[in-house]
Amino acid sequence: MKIITTEIPGVVILEPEVFGDARGYFFESYSQRIFDQAVRPVRFVQDNESQSKYGVLRGLHFQKGKYAQSKLVRVVHGRVLDVAVDIRRGSPTFGRYAAVELTGENKRQFFIPRGFAHGFAVLSPQAVFQYKCDNAYAPQSEGAIAWNDPQIGIDWQLPAQAVLLSAKDSRNPPLAEAAELFDYNEDYYA
């Protein structure tokens, strides 16, 4: 597995070695041992899957405090732009984002550590998106920031009129108005 660093320390792209022949392909999509050594020790406890159509934008979401989550995400079918935004106050990269195109063909994965908001936009007619989380879903701890916050300036690679949001995501505040975020100097893995 190849580990590709991004401009934000801790946010990485994982590129598996794919073995293919006339029958099809095989690749190891996850190894706890390799992940712990190459990325960071994380114990994933929940797997989720979503299916979305072109233009769907989910995010930018996070869970606060002791319910903070790391995510390891990938696309099984289709194509998405996946984004992680640093929301750790005091971080040298606070408010900056890393983005990667994930497809069923490139089989890349994206690791989003605790302390980041996460979102993705579907760029193909349909996409099946899978993610591993290292903490259970806790609705009382949900947080979110606006997908179109001009201070962050994410290019979602979609025309604005094509963006499809949930009612909840259409009301998320900009980063500057988000009530509870993360502190760069606190270890959310302790």
Side-chain angles (χ1 to χ4, degrees):
M1 181 151 315
K2 181 179 175 185
I3 307 298
I4 303 165
T5 58
T6 68
E7 57 275 6
I8 301 177
V11 178
V12 297
I13 300 162
L14 295 89
E15 195 168 77
E17 186 173 0
V18 180
F19 303 93
D21 60 25
R23 299 168 297 162
Y25 68 84
F26 170 85
F27 73 98
E28 186 175 80
S29 63
Y30 182 74
S31 163
Q32 185 76 53
R33 179 184 56 79
I34 293 171
F35 194 88
D36 287 353
Q37 291 172 356
V39 180
R40 72 167 302 129
V42 171
R43 182 176 163 262
F44 292 109
V45 298
Q46 182 175 320
D47 283 7
N48 302 313
E49 181 173 299
S50 67
Q51 182 273 324
S52 305
K53 64 183 185 176
Y54 174 78
V56 167
L57 195 150
R58 297 180 188 264
L60 294 159
H61 304 143
F62 58 94
Q63 288 194 175
K64 302 174 269 189
K66 68 180 183 176
Y67 298 104
Q69 290 181 322
S70 297
K71 295 177 182 175
L72 179 62
V73 301
R74 71 186 185 113
V75 169
V76 177
H77 173 78
R79 182 168 71 101
V80 309
L81 180 71
D82 201 83
V83 175
V85 179
D86 188 347
I87 58 170
R88 301 168 298 166
R89 293 191 199 280
S91 166
T93 56
F94 179 77
R96 289 185 31 209
Y97 71 93
V100 63
E101 187 173 290
L102 303 175
T103 71
E105 288 74 35
N106 72 19
K107 299 178 183 11
R108 284 182 161 188
Q109 298 180 56
F110 196 40
F111 176 67
I112 301 102
R114 294 177 179 188
F116 288 76
H118 170 251
F120 67 91
V122 179
L123 306 177
S124 56
Q126 185 182 115
V128 176
F129 188 85
Q130 292 184 338
Y131 48 110
K132 300 174 106 36
C133 300
D134 73 343
N135 212 343
Y137 173 65
Q140 73 278 13
S141 183
E142 284 183 328
I145 57 176
W147 67 277
N148 59 350
D149 184 335
Q151 296 297 323
I152 300 170
I154 299 168
D155 175 3
W156 289 101
Q157 301 178 17
L158 289 171
Q161 68 274 16
V163 173
L164 300 170
L165 300 169
S166 70
K168 190 163 63 170
D169 282 346
S170 68
R171 296 186 303 267
N172 294 335
L175 182 59
E177 296 174 19
E180 185 181 341
L181 296 173
F182 294 85
D183 181 339
Y184 179 69
N185 296 308
E186 188 169 334
D187 182 359
Y188 292 93
Y189 289 95

